[in-house]
Amino acid sequence: MWIYAAKRVLYAIPIALGVSVICFSLVYLAPGDPIQSLIPPDASAEDIAAIRRLYGFDKPVVFQYFDWLARAVTGDLGISLQSNRPVLDEVTRAFGNTLAIAVAAVILAFVLATFLGTLAAFNLGRPVDKIATSISTLGVSIPNYWMGIVLVILFSVQWRLLPATGMGGQGSDGFNWFEWEQVRYAILPMVTMAMIPLGVVTRSTRSAVADTLSQDYVQLLRAKGLGEGRVVWHALRNALPQMLAVMGLQLGYLIGGSILIETVFNWPGTGLVMSRAILTRDIPLLQGTILILALSFVAINLIVDLLQTLVDPRIKRS
Amino acid sequence: MMNFFKLQGPAARVAPRPDPRDIGGPRQPMLIARNLRKHFPITGGLLGRAVASVKAVDDVSFTVQKGETLGVVGESGCGKSTLARLLMHLVPPDSGEMIFDGQEVGARYGLRLRDLRRNMQMVFQDSASSLNPRMPIEESVAYGPRVHGMGRAEARAHAISLLEQVGLPARLFAGRYPHELSGGQKQRVNIARALALDPRMLILDEAVSALDKSVEAQVLNLLRRLKSEFNLTYIFISHDLHVVQYISDRVMVMYLGEVVEIGPVERIYANASHPYTQALLASQLHADPRNRVTDPPITGDPPNPVNPPTGCRFHTRCPFAEAMCSSTAPRLHPLAGEEGHIVACHMADPSSGHARAGRAGLDRLGMARPLAAKAASEPPCKEGLRA
Amino acid sequence: MSEMTTNHAIAAQIPGEDVPRGERRSYWANVRERLGHDPVTLFFMGVIGAAVGAALLAPWVAPHDPYATSMLARLRPVGTEGHLLGTDELGRDMLSRLIWGARTSLLMGILPVLVALVIGGFLGVIAGFMGGAVNMVVMRIMDVFYAFPSVLLAVAISGTLGGGMGSGLLALTLVFIPSLCRVAETAASQIRGLDFVDAARASGAPVYSIIVTHVVGNVLPPVLIYASSLISVSILLAAGLSFLGLGVSPPTADWGQMLSSLRQGIYMQPLVCALPGLAILIVSLSFNLVSDGLRQAMDIKS
């Protein structure tokens, strides 16, 4: 098992390097001279020359990459063109806000989906199952950015129950999950975000639990007179590793794909940072945000895999 | 049980008919295999290096005469199927050589692999995967000739004629898909496919093992008929000793990737000399309930082929094992007084030093028989020479 | 191959073997037949067909010019005389814009999946069938792209390229190649070890011939099932990119972009503003359900 864990960690390194290569080459994807995308349009000739030297644009691309990588490893992701502040600071501040609603959304989806999926699995083919399946199909089919707008129309415009956008007066520095004045801003983004994982996890829970229920030993448990409650518990415990894996992946997708929902709700997370960076062509900020989001996705996958080995003894060997 | 289906009488040792494809003459064996070896590496550890290997086929040598059927028997996992795939070069051998009708396979001036495969074909065990599920069987049969350059219409006519030959009337069967056939019918298609390139030799890997007994007998009789019609040579691999006895001229017994005994079928079945062969034969079920097998003739599972026992690989399960058996590996040795019967057992070699040396084949699991008179001064048989 | 005389005698002696009778049909004929008995899937196929038809015939079916603005008739509600689905923030006819928008939205949804299907499927089949070092190289590169959440990768590529239809198509194609490649690779490497492939190799067939005749036909069903499920994702993502301003440039009609520009009107005409999203939802839902139906129809155990 330790060998598997070590292997898994080692395997993440080339992936992370590959991710960094892609992020690095984004600058070259951008139309025009890459330096144009790194400097403010009103920069003087000396500034341009200085930046050219600083970024090593006079050297071959491979050297530029390793220079960039060396700086990135020490946390130097460049300076945002718009705010003139280090990219890392901008991203880490926003990252916490994204993480807050993403984790909340995943927990919400997990609880609901476990309930719906188990209910459906115990009633395969009955109306309850049909409803649960419809909800899950809707969850993965609905454009969540549109659903956000619809929720705003309903809860903010029509019923005036919840704020439409933003994060409240406190901003990200003093956000507190236990203060209603702030939490009310997070509710709509969180619910919107939970839609896709709700659909995906309901589906996988349903099939995992149904699979367990069809096993012979479950029939035996029932034959031995075990209550349905205990049977549910058994079925869930067996479905858990798979559900965990799906959840972890979904958390990664939410964090990486938060841009649409954060744009709808003006939620000051990494997605909004990216959105702003795209709008203002702030390439260093865009590149840094993408790098950090992608690396955190790699890290989440790694953690999920390791957790799964802990929970599920069957996959101790690869 | 088998006797019930013996519709065509016992196998006669047929002298090969003259064949325009023949190169080496009737006395040249169809196939000579020398020291074939295949070890599959097992990777492990942090870097995925090879930490051990499964010795699937280890130093196997034998010959197949033209027109004969060589039966290959052994427990599952003894390397029979790997041997079949090695012979077809579906897995490349680690070492060893093959000589097909006098031509060395893969050598510079020898037989090219492509030409070997025209001359030697394989019939796979009937399974869900032996035929392409998305292809009508007629196309599966025609595929081989097509890749060898036959025109579409000609290949189709050829396939239809072959399907008829194996007992599948084309008007009923040609357009069918594998899932629309029964096991026996699928196996007939497998045979037709193997015949499509007009080969001289067929390797039949458990070709009838998955079939019902009655269907099995039909397919066996079909194989016999085809053998004489197409002037074929067979290597017949099976774990079923009855079937092997029925169809083979000679029998080769394998244990853990090694050959332990080769001999004419009647000698093997009447006078098995290797304790493993004896145990295998003793484990056969009889149709007559009065001859029920009560004691297990052999105990335990075969040892792990990753770390086969030292010396004689059978010594861990052999009732006659002595100290020397675990240290010295016996060589294939001709049996005294029996032409073409060779055994890898210390007991068969009078000079080995084993307490029962020279008495192999006479003790059937402890039941002593009169000692053989002849000394081991007979010239070694052809297998021994070539090996 | 002579001796056609003995055949009928042999044909007669097949006792004990069940001879399945009746019409013999190919796999695809079976799939068609099974789909024919699935009204839900057929219905949603009809919905998709209608959407595609409307998109193709937009110049003829759209009641108005989708670009004709009217300062006087801005943000009219659904059911307005002459504007069945109301008007947008510039007074353009919503129904016409939705019909024209179907062109870009469906194209952006379907084309990337098709291109990725060809490229990813090709790479996956090669990697899966060859195994060894080829597999290693191809799949490790795919793993790197797989290490990006799909939205992030699409936004990253399309965002750095500066948006537009071309960059959107490119970004989405790149997003779908790795997963399609994985599905094809898994299927191909399973087929690689099957007996009928060994039989083909044993008949001396060259690798490309084995791949074309024996592997592709068997890899296709799982890859097609998966690809059909991706179209819905692709439509959502494409509309999402347009919503972020990375899709086609205005005034070209596109559902995602309409959704974004109509946001300013949600206080006045919420229903009208919700329409483009509803269109996206209906199409995406249809593709999802058709994909489920295809999965059931194509999952035939022989």
Side-chain angles (χ1 to χ4, degrees):
Chain A
M1 182 184 155
W2 288 112
I3 287 194
Y4 173 76
K7 258 187 179 171
R8 188 61 191 76
V9 173
L10 277 183
Y11 180 65
I13 293 173
I15 297 289
L17 280 177
V19 164
S20 75
V21 169
I22 291 179
C23 290
F24 171 76
S25 46
L26 281 178
V27 174
Y28 291 84
L29 262 181
D33 185 351
I35 194 152
Q36 292 298 331
S37 55
L38 290 172
I39 52 164
D42 54 345
S44 66
E46 298 95 80
D47 283 351
I48 294 177
I51 288 177
R52 203 178 277 280
R53 260 196 318 283
L54 181 69
Y55 277 81
F57 279 128
D58 41 348
K59 288 190 252 174
V61 182
V62 181
F63 286 91
Q64 291 178 37
Y65 167 69
F66 283 110
D67 285 352
W68 173 82
L69 185 65
R71 275 182 281 119
V73 166
T74 59
D76 175 8
L77 293 174
I79 306 290
S80 161
L81 302 184
Q82 292 303 308
S83 65
N84 256 327
R85 300 194 325 165
V87 167
L88 190 67
D89 290 3
E90 296 265 320
V91 180
T92 38
R93 252 160 52 99
F95 195 82
N97 295 339
T98 298
L99 197 65
I101 49 167
V103 170
V106 161
I107 293 172
L108 177 71
F110 190 77
V111 173
L112 274 178
T114 309
F115 177 71
L116 273 178
T118 314
L119 204 64
F122 273 84
N123 297 286
L124 282 185
R126 301 210 194 113
V128 186
D129 179 30
K130 297 249 163 64
I131 293 169
T133 313
S134 306
I135 292 177
S136 108
T137 308
L138 197 67
V140 294
S141 304
I142 204 166
N144 53 14
Y145 39 92
W146 173 71
M147 192 188 128
I149 295 176
V150 172
L151 289 181
V152 167
I153 292 174
L154 293 178
F155 286 87
S156 310
V157 181
Q158 302 283 353
W159 302 328
R160 304 191 178 279
L161 288 174
L162 293 165
T165 57
M167 206 179 175
Q170 295 287 325
S172 48
D173 293 326
F175 190 76
N176 185 348
W177 273 106
F178 301 99
E179 229 171 277
W180 173 242
E181 260 319 298
Q182 290 170 28
V183 171
R184 49 195 239 113
Y185 283 90
I187 287 179
L188 288 184
M190 180 187 82
V191 170
T192 312
M193 247 192 184
M195 273 315 277
I196 292 178
L198 177 66
V200 175
V201 182
T202 302
R203 197 176 253 221
S204 67
T205 307
R206 175 179 176 268
S207 73
V209 172
D211 195 42
T212 310
L213 288 182
S214 68
Q215 304 279 320
D216 288 343
Y217 77 92
V218 176
Q219 304 297 330
L220 182 73
L221 289 180
R222 281 188 167 143
K224 280 162 78 179
L226 209 68
E228 281 301 289
R230 294 295 302 270
V231 174
V232 172
W233 169 239
H234 267 278
L236 273 183
R237 212 176 46 181
N238 278 300
L240 190 67
Q242 197 191 329
M243 284 157 64
L244 253 183
V246 176
M247 288 314 300
L249 211 61
Q250 288 300 317
L251 179 66
Y253 284 142
L254 290 190
I255 293 174
S258 63
I259 179 165
L260 286 160
I261 289 170
E262 288 181 5
T263 307
V264 170
F265 291 102
N266 240 336
W267 183 263
T270 46
L272 206 62
V273 169
M274 262 172 81
S275 187
R276 210 176 63 221
I278 290 171
L279 220 62
T280 57
R281 308 238 22 94
D282 190 342
I283 298 294
L285 185 59
L286 182 60
Q287 187 189 39
T289 318
I290 293 169
L291 179 69
I292 288 182
L293 288 178
L295 287 182
S296 57
F297 188 59
V298 173
I300 289 173
N301 276 334
L302 177 64
I303 293 168
V304 168
D305 269 14
L306 295 179
L307 274 183
Q308 220 186 343
T309 22
L310 275 179
V311 178
D312 189 350
R314 281 171 303 182
I315 46 167
K316 275 182 182 164
R317 298 201 138 260
S318 62
Chain B
M1 178 101 190
M2 262 335 283
N3 287 327
F4 181 72
F5 294 106
K6 268 191 188 175
L7 306 171
Q8 295 171 345
R13 205 148 309 164
V14 215
R17 267 192 285 151
D19 189 326
R21 300 169 296 184
D22 195 33
I23 296 170
R27 294 180 65 81
Q28 170 70 36
M30 186 63 93
L31 180 72
I32 304 172
R34 278 195 196 131
N35 308 97
L36 287 181
R37 184 185 305 241
K38 183 70 195 178
H39 294 181
F40 293 107
I42 298 171
T43 56
L46 211 53
L47 299 170
R49 275 181 311 206
V51 290
S53 62
V54 178
K55 290 155 187 71
V57 169
D58 212 1
D59 211 8
V60 166
S61 304
F62 61 92
T63 61
V64 188
Q65 299 300 325
K66 282 176 183 157
E68 77 166 345
T69 298
L70 175 71
V72 179
V73 293
E75 286 166 293
S76 48
C78 72
K80 300 180 304 247
S81 282
T82 307
L83 179 66
R85 273 151 212 268
L86 275 186
L87 293 176
M88 285 308 298
H89 281 72
L90 288 173
V91 285
D94 295 339
S95 63
E97 55 184 8
M98 275 170 62
I99 295 166
F100 189 87
D101 197 10
Q103 292 178 292
E104 187 172 351
V105 176
R108 194 151 170 209
Y109 298 105
L111 192 66
R112 288 183 310 157
L113 202 54
R114 197 174 154 86
D115 294 326
L116 171 76
R117 285 170 171 171
R118 285 193 70 127
N119 284 308
M120 192 161 92
Q121 279 288 302
M122 180 164 169
V123 176
F124 293 82
Q125 181 170 5
D126 162 60
S127 67
S129 70
S130 61
L131 291 166
N132 186 342
R134 304 269 181 273
M135 223 184 220
I137 57 170
E138 166 200 79
E139 278 179 41
S140 280
V141 177
Y143 178 73
R146 291 276 294 143
V147 297
H148 280 270
M150 198 185 273
R152 182 179 293 272
E154 198 188 345
R156 182 164 185 270
H158 186 51
I160 285 176
S161 126
L162 279 169
L163 286 174
E164 301 266 1
Q165 301 251 27
V166 298
L168 297 174
R171 88 197 127 77
L172 280 176
F173 288 94
R176 287 200 186 180
Y177 286 83
H179 66 94
E180 298 169 316
L181 300 182
S182 70
Q185 289 164 345
K186 266 188 270 186
Q187 207 51 13
R188 287 169 191 265
V189 179
N190 275 338
I191 293 167
R193 176 177 61 190
L195 291 175
L197 291 175
D198 200 14
R200 300 175 66 192
M201 182 164 168
L202 284 191
I203 299 171
L204 299 128
D205 183 14
E206 303 278 9
V208 295
S209 306
L211 304 177
D212 290 346
K213 276 293 162 206
S214 60
V215 180
E216 180 181 66
Q218 291 165 14
V219 174
L220 282 176
N221 284 338
L222 172 71
L223 284 172
R224 279 205 155 168
R225 187 171 59 74
L226 294 171
K227 189 179 167 205
S228 65
E229 276 176 23
F230 290 88
N231 200 12
L232 293 165
T233 301
Y234 285 164
I235 291 182
F236 191 95
I237 298 173
S238 178
H239 65 271
D240 187 332
L241 295 159
H242 292 289
V243 171
V244 167
Q245 183 177 18
Y246 172 66
I247 200 146
S248 306
D249 300 310
R250 288 191 307 130
V251 175
M252 175 163 103
V253 185
M254 287 183 73
Y255 183 73
L256 282 183
E258 288 185 334
V259 176
V260 295
E261 187 164 3
I262 305 180
V265 62
E266 64 277 0
R267 298 310 311 158
I268 295 280
Y269 279 79
N271 191 22
S273 300
H274 196 283
Y276 176 64
T277 315
Q278 292 167 2
L280 266 188
L281 290 171
S283 67
Q284 277 192 103
L285 301 176
H286 292 269
D288 188 345
R290 282 167 297 184
N291 292 333
R292 190 172 289 153
V293 177
T294 45
D295 300 321
I298 189 168
T299 50
D301 289 327
N304 189 347
V306 177
N307 286 310
T310 55
C312 174
R313 289 190 180 172
F314 188 59
H315 82 258
T316 51
R317 299 161 87 189
C318 181
F320 311 113
E322 293 182 0
M324 68 167 300
C325 295
S326 57
S327 58
T328 321
R331 296 168 56 89
L332 277 170
H333 198 277
L335 205 63
E338 292 189 27
E339 198 195 338
H341 191 171
I342 58 172
V343 184
C345 178
H346 290 307
M347 294 189 287
D349 179 4
S351 59
S352 69
H354 193 284
R356 290 166 172 268
R359 291 173 54 186
L362 308 173
D363 292 345
R364 286 195 139 259
L365 290 176
M367 289 176 290
R369 288 193 184 174
L371 227 80
K374 276 198 183 172
S377 57
E378 290 269 311
C381 74
K382 49 197 178 224
E383 251 82 21
L385 274 179
R386 288 197 182 88
Chain C
M1 307 297 128
S2 56
E3 292 194 279
M4 302 284 282
T5 43
T6 48
N7 305 333
H8 299 292
I10 302 155
Q13 61 138 69
I14 319 180
E17 293 190 49
D18 56 307
V19 182
R21 294 263 163 202
E23 210 185 336
R24 52 205 65 102
R25 276 173 286 115
S26 75
Y27 169 77
W28 295 105
N30 275 322
V31 170
R32 267 200 303 280
E33 149 120 26
R34 286 166 65 128
L35 275 179
H37 293 297
D38 183 353
V40 177
T41 306
L42 285 180
F43 173 77
F44 284 101
M45 276 180 155
V47 173
I48 292 170
V52 171
L56 289 176
L57 302 174
W60 297 279
V61 289
H64 292 275
D65 177 358
Y67 304 112
T69 59
S70 161
M71 284 301 123
L72 297 173
R74 287 191 298 182
L75 285 171
R76 289 290 160 87
V78 173
T80 305
E81 181 87 40
H83 298 290
L84 193 61
L85 295 179
T87 59
D88 73 357
E89 79 283 0
L90 295 175
R92 296 172 290 196
D93 179 53
M94 276 302 285
L95 179 60
S96 306
R97 283 188 71 73
L98 283 175
I99 290 173
W100 279 90
R103 289 194 151 192
T104 38
S105 296
L106 288 178
L107 184 74
M108 293 272 288
I110 296 171
L111 192 61
V113 177
L114 288 184
V115 177
L117 174 73
V118 173
I119 299 174
F122 175 79
L123 289 173
V125 165
I126 298 292
F129 191 75
M130 295 297 190
V134 178
N135 183 295
M136 185 77 178
V137 171
V138 173
M139 296 322 286
R140 291 303 83 83
I141 292 174
M142 290 301 146
D143 280 353
V144 171
F145 280 92
Y146 219 71
F148 286 86
S150 46
V151 178
L152 182 65
L153 187 59
V155 169
I157 296 170
S158 152
T160 30
L161 282 174
M165 186 134 171
S167 73
L169 286 174
L170 176 73
L172 290 175
T173 307
L174 279 173
V175 165
F176 296 129
I177 286 176
S179 48
L180 280 164
C181 180
R182 260 194 195 185
V183 174
E185 191 260 349
T186 310
S189 61
Q190 278 166 1
I191 287 162
R192 181 163 89 114
L194 297 183
D195 281 348
F196 69 83
V197 171
D198 271 349
R201 291 208 293 141
S203 68
V207 171
Y208 75 88
S209 164
I210 297 178
I211 289 180
V212 170
T213 35
H214 291 290
V215 180
V216 170
N218 286 288
V219 168
L220 215 50
V223 175
L224 277 183
I225 291 171
Y226 186 69
S228 72
S229 76
L230 283 183
I231 292 181
S232 148
V233 178
S234 181
I235 285 173
L236 290 182
L237 267 181
L241 287 181
S242 302
F243 180 74
L244 291 172
L246 292 170
V248 291
S249 38
T252 311
D254 174 277
W255 294 345
Q257 195 214 311
M258 288 164 74
L259 192 58
S260 162
S261 58
L262 277 165
R263 278 176 71 198
Q264 48 183 282
I266 54 173
Y267 290 92
M268 286 177 281
Q269 288 297 344
L271 189 56
V272 170
C273 299
L275 282 176
L278 205 60
I280 301 169
L281 172 62
I282 289 170
V283 172
S284 139
L285 192 68
S286 302
F287 272 109
N288 253 330
L289 291 169
V290 168
S291 167
D292 283 351
L294 273 183
R295 185 188 309 271
Q296 271 162 25
M298 290 170 88
D299 187 21
I300 298 173
K301 292 177 184 72
S302 48

